Amino acid sequence: MEGLIFDLKRYAVHDGPGIRLNVFFKGCPLHCLWCHNPEGVAFEPELMLMPNRCARCGDCVRACRYQALSQNGNGQVKADRSRCTLCGDCLQACQREAIEIAGRKMTVEEIATEAEKERVFFEQSGGGVTLTGGEPLAQPAFAEALIDSLKLHGFHVALDTSGYAPAEVFRNLAKKADLVLFDLKIMDETRHKKYTGVSNRIILENFQSLEKLGKPVWVRFPLIPGVNDDENNLEAMASFLCQLRSVEQVNVLPYHKGGLEKIRRLGREGEFAVFEPPSQEKVQSVIDFFARRGFKVKRGG
Ligand code: SF4
Ligand code: SF4
């Protein structure tokens, strides 16, 4: 069985306990305007241009049989993605690795083999594999087969999700994982739709269903100034989480601008928004807010 993956990150330490291998699923049904992993949103591979590595030699333009690439007056390479077939010829032609295709098919066995290479780190640190993205629940059959295989290998598996999936898909995969990392963003439904493109109703219902499964949950709260850092949202979130014994900790993830360069590389400017990162004081005040309500709180993943 194959899934569409856009990255494997080794030695990850922010996405579950210990040292981990993060498997990034490509494709997400949400469209969060602050997305830190914009290359994980589309459900198909995408051409990425890295102008900071480019020598402006033009080899890629000449290699492209589909006239999908051109150079402007300064030699800067531009892509007409509507013409691109993702054949990969330009990648071969480029000596500077200034072009990439984000997203490739990988089999369950290939990923399990990569995880095996990390076994010693997992065992020494209490780590394992984290399925993240994008959205792992959006490739449910592949995610299930991968979790089953990783469990057979004896690895700890964490599932990092927005929770936006049919209830049976969510429950099935959450049940199989050892830990759920649940991204909770905005409590008000209208505001959630405005900033992520979808309702949060099914997300909150799925979250509550974890209680019955007795599954440990780490809540991941992306802190975006002007979007979800207000008293109303924080109070609503704390009241919701207080009722759930499965919540082991809250991770406050301050917004940063790291996704903007990737948005430019994808040629998807205009599809996302730019925010100002929260101040240190604001981050600390949100950490203190959750701590006062009895949660174990961590800054970052
Ligand atoms: S991947 Fe192929 S079609 Fe697309 S720009 Fe490169 S050479 Fe052209
Ligand atoms: S081949 Fe590579 S270095 Fe040369 S113009 Fe194309 S992207 Fe830039």
Side-chain angles (χ1 to χ4, degrees), residues 205-245:
E205 286 168 7
N206 280 336
F207 198 129
Q208 283 170 318
S209 75
L210 287 171
E211 198 68 359
K212 281 204 191 98
L213 297 179
K215 198 56 70 177
V217 188
W218 292 7
V219 177
R220 290 150 72 87
F221 174 48
L223 180 64
I224 323 293
V227 174
N228 62 3
D229 63 338
D230 55 287
E231 198 72 15
N232 283 349
N233 189 54
L234 295 174
E235 286 289 359
M237 196 171 277
S239 310
F240 177 76
L241 294 176
C242 274
Q243 303 160 24
L244 307 168
R245 281 161 302 153

Side-chain angles (χ1 to χ4, degrees), residues 238-284:
S239 310
F240 177 76
L241 294 176
C242 274
Q243 303 160 24
L244 307 168
R245 281 161 302 153
S246 47
V247 175
E248 288 190 348
Q249 68 179 52
V250 176
N251 292 66
V252 176
L253 313 175
Y255 170 79
H256 58 76
K257 294 188 178 180
L260 298 180
E261 180 54 31
K262 291 191 274 187
I263 289 166
R264 281 192 283 273
R265 291 173 176 182
L266 292 162
R268 299 183 68 174
E269 299 96 328
E271 294 179 37
F272 299 88
V274 182
F275 301 89
E276 281 309 308
S279 66
Q280 297 296 329
E281 294 74 27
K282 181 70 198 181
V283 175
Q284 192 57 50

Side-chain angles (χ1 to χ4, degrees), residues 18-229:
I19 298 173
R20 312 194 66 82
L21 175 70
N22 285 354
V23 182
F24 289 86
F25 284 55
K26 188 154 165 51
C28 181
L30 276 65
H31 192 98
C32 302
L33 290 181
W34 60 82
C35 185
H36 289 142
N37 288 327
E39 74 276 44
V41 174
F43 283 89
E44 61 277 335
E46 290 171 277
L47 195 71
M48 290 181 87
L49 302 181
M50 270 74 72
N52 55 326
R53 294 187 201 159
C54 176
R56 305 189 177 190
C57 65
D59 287 349
C60 56
V61 177
R62 288 183 286 280
C64 180
R65 289 167 283 161
Y66 302 94
Q67 286 82 49
L69 298 177
S70 59
Q71 284 176 286
N72 67 13
N74 296 324
Q76 195 177 353
V77 178
K78 301 281 175 201
D80 176 353
R81 288 173 171 81
S82 66
R83 303 179 77 107
C84 175
T85 63
L86 298 171
C87 69
D89 288 352
C90 55
L91 280 68
Q92 301 297 326
C94 180
Q95 305 288 316
R96 305 284 293 255
E97 299 185 349
I99 308 181
E100 285 179 10
I101 292 176
R104 65 185 169 115
K105 289 281 171 73
M106 289 190 80
T107 65
V108 166
E109 292 72 27
E110 282 171 328
I111 296 173
T113 301
E114 293 304 314
E116 273 297 343
K117 295 177 188 168
E118 311 302 312
R119 180 178 285 279
V120 63
F121 300 108
F122 297 165
E123 288 179 352
Q124 284 176 3
S125 68
V129 181
T130 298
L131 277 56
T132 183
E135 175 53 69
L137 301 186
Q139 298 183 58
F142 178 70
E144 180 173 6
L146 181 58
I147 296 176
D148 286 345
S149 171
L150 294 169
K151 294 305 297 174
L152 273 178
H153 283 257
F155 298 132
H156 177 278
V157 177
L159 176 65
D160 179 17
T161 177
S162 69
Y164 189 81
E168 59 277 15
V169 167
F170 177 79
R171 277 199 290 270
N172 180 39
L173 294 176
K175 213 186 300 176
K176 287 173 180 279
D178 298 294
L179 171 69
V180 176
L181 309 177
F182 203 113
D183 303 339
L184 201 56
K185 309 167 201 301
I186 300 169
M187 298 305 289
D188 177 73
E189 186 181 7
T190 306
R191 215 193 311 175
H192 196 279
K193 261 189 199 161
K194 176 179 172 188
Y195 287 106
T196 72
V198 302
S199 159
N200 62 358
R201 202 169 295 175
I202 193 168
I203 291 172
L204 299 180
E205 286 168 7
N206 280 336
F207 198 129
Q208 283 170 318
S209 75
L210 287 171
E211 198 68 359
K212 281 204 191 98
L213 297 179
K215 198 56 70 177
V217 188
W218 292 7
V219 177
R220 290 150 72 87
F221 174 48
L223 180 64
I224 323 293
V227 174
N228 62 3
D229 63 338

